[in-house]
């Protein structure tokens, strides 16, 4: 069941790295995170059999592959710790991280070169098998354990601050959990180093997979929430389109930025939606001058007669008087100044305003308003 967990986790990491690549490369703030994810994915990938097989054809000695992988892993651990400290505004310690990483790499190379000739840099099952000394592994594992534990604890501590947005808070916790799983992995490897017990080895791969999945989820969560928000903006923008088209056709002066569609498509969707909300509201203010008190009373009776649910009644009333105003304008009625507050008091924030206008837009296409529109046409003829 857990045999493919490591592969799944590494694939998830690469997927997140590829999806975040455009933003990670362009944004100075996002670049360290993206670089750290790529480094983690690369370090984990070098342990996979297909990658090892490719490297074996490129490098004459497996020993050099192992040493390079370990040195690369130190860079990976330092990169992640550097990013976390930067994000937590602890920049003074980044020089210490870089210095420690370079020192550990130098020591590992020295221990490797000073050791007796050996085919692989692996923990020897017995003293009779030539390999690097145990000091090599103690230093290697201790560096990772210290770096990863620090990263995980900083992530969790930072996520508890009240100023952190919910998406980032949960993302940090997922990311921190993944890093702390890596710490558990190093503890198990230290236990294996001290005992050489075969009990620990089968746990390494699934734990690595779980670590990768949690890290990928932590990095992807804010991005997915952002994508969900963009999708919601697009959906709202399209939902308001039929109402908006009819209103701005009757009151073209309310359009804030007339232009071709290609130019409009380059404007961020949040700004386009905000403009559409303003233009609808401005058009409602213009069109209310075509509505008399008698029409307003008639609209209320029409909606009441159709037994519209209470929470939708106001939206249907607004859609009906807008329909009446458009009809009056089209038939040449002269607008008159009036004090009716037909446009409503407005919402407390943009999200609430969008929801309110979407209810009006839905009512505008409803059978109740369609019947009212038909009655106006019949009355006119």
């Amino acid at each position: 069941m857990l045999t493919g967990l490591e592969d799944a986790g590494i694939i998830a990491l690469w997927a997140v790295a590829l999806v975040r690549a455009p933003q990670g490369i362009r944004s100075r703030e996002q670049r360290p995170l993206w670089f750290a994810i790529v480094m983690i994915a690369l370090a984990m990938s070098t342990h996979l059999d297909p990658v090892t097989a490719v490297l074996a054809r490129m490098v004459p000695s497996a020993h050099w592959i192992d040493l390079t992988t370990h040195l690369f892993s130190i860079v990976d651990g330092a990169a992640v710790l550097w990013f976390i400290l930067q994000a937590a505004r602890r920049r003074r310690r980044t020089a210490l991280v870089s210095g420690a990483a370079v020192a550990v790499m130098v020591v590992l190379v020295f221990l490797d070169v000073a050791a007796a000739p050996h085919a692989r840099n692996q923990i020897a099952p017995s003293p009779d098998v030539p390999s690097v000394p145990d000091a090599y592994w103690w230093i290697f594992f201790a560096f990772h354990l210290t770096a990863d534990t620090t990263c995980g604890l900083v992530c969790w501590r930072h996520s508890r601050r009240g100023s952190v947005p919910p998406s980032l808070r949960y993302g940090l916790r997922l990311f921190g959990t993944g890093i702390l799983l890596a710490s558990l992995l190093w503890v198990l490897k230290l236990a294996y180093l001290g005992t050489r017990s075969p009990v620990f080895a089968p746990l390494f791969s699934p734990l690595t997979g779980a670590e990768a999945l949690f890290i990928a989820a932590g990095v992807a969560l804010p991005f997915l929430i952002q994508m969900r928000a963009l999708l919601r903006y697009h959906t709202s923008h399209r939902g308001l389109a039929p109402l908006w088209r009819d209103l701005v056709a009757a009151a073209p002066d309310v359009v804030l930025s007339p232009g071709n569609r290609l130019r409009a498509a380059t404007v961020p969707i949040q700004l386009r939606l905000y403009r559409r909300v303003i233009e609808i509201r401005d058009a409602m203010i213009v069109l209310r001058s075509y509505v008399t008190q008698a029409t307003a009373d008639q609209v209320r009776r029409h909606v009441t007669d159709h037994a519209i649910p209470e929470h939708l009644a106001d939206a249907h009333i607004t859609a009906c008087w807008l329909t009446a105003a458009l009809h009056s304008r089209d038939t040449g009625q002269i607008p008159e100044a009036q004090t009716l507050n037909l446009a409503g008091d407005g919402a407390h924030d943009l999200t609430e305003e969008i929801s309110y206008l979407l209810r009006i837009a839905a009512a505008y296409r409803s059978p109740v308003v369609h019947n009212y529109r038909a009655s106006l046409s019949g009355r006119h003829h």
Side-chain angles (χ1 to χ4, degrees), residues 68-116:
T68 302
T69 299
H70 294 157
L71 296 178
F72 192 77
S73 176
I74 297 297
V75 176
D76 150 43
V80 176
L81 182 55
W82 172 73
F83 163 71
I84 295 298
L85 294 177
Q86 288 280 320
R89 305 189 185 281
R90 300 181 183 181
R91 295 180 176 87
R92 295 180 180 178
R93 302 183 186 182
T94 55
L96 177 62
V97 172
S98 302
V102 171
V104 168
M105 293 169 72
V106 170
V107 172
L108 293 183
V109 171
F110 174 78
L111 291 174
D112 178 83
V113 172

Side-chain angles (χ1 to χ4, degrees), residues 183-193 200 203-204 207:
S183 297
L184 177 59
L185 176 65
W186 302 122
V187 170
L188 293 179
K189 289 194 174 185
L190 283 168
Y192 175 70
L193 177 64
F200 298 103
L203 301 174
F204 297 159
L207 197 54

Side-chain angles (χ1 to χ4, degrees), residues 216-246:
V219 176
L221 183 62
F223 176 77
L224 292 176
I225 292 175
Q226 183 183 14
M227 290 298 102
R228 182 185 174 189
L230 288 175
L231 179 62
R232 188 168 62 249
Y233 293 144
H234 279 285
T235 302
S236 299
H237 192 263
R238 287 195 303 269
L240 294 174
L243 176 65
W244 172 82
R245 278 195 296 265
D246 286 356

Side-chain angles (χ1 to χ4, degrees), residues 18-147:
L18 290 174
V19 170
R20 295 295 299 266
Q23 186 179 11
I25 294 172
R26 286 196 309 265
S27 171
R28 179 180 297 180
E29 292 78 14
Q30 296 293 325
R31 200 173 300 147
L33 173 61
W34 181 76
F35 177 72
I37 295 303
V38 171
M39 296 296 288
I40 293 173
L42 281 172
M44 289 185 175
S45 298
T46 56
H47 295 286
L48 298 178
D49 292 338
V51 178
T52 304
V54 171
L55 292 175
R57 289 195 292 269
M58 299 171 60
V59 182
S61 172
H63 155 254
W64 293 113
I65 296 175
D66 293 337
L67 178 60
T68 302
T69 299
H70 294 157
L71 296 178
F72 192 77
S73 176
I74 297 297
V75 176
D76 150 43
V80 176
L81 182 55
W82 172 73
F83 163 71
I84 295 298
L85 294 177
Q86 288 280 320
R89 305 189 185 281
R90 300 181 183 181
R91 295 180 176 87
R92 295 180 180 178
R93 302 183 186 182
T94 55
L96 177 62
V97 172
S98 302
V102 171
V104 168
M105 293 169 72
V106 170
V107 172
L108 293 183
V109 171
F110 174 78
L111 291 174
D112 178 83
V113 172
H118 48 282
R120 301 294 303 270
N121 279 24
Q122 294 179 341
I123 298 176
S126 71
D128 300 329
V129 179
S131 186
V132 290
D134 282 359
Y136 178 100
W137 300 111
W138 286 110
I139 295 171
F140 180 69
F141 294 154
F143 174 84
H144 275 294
L145 178 60
T146 303

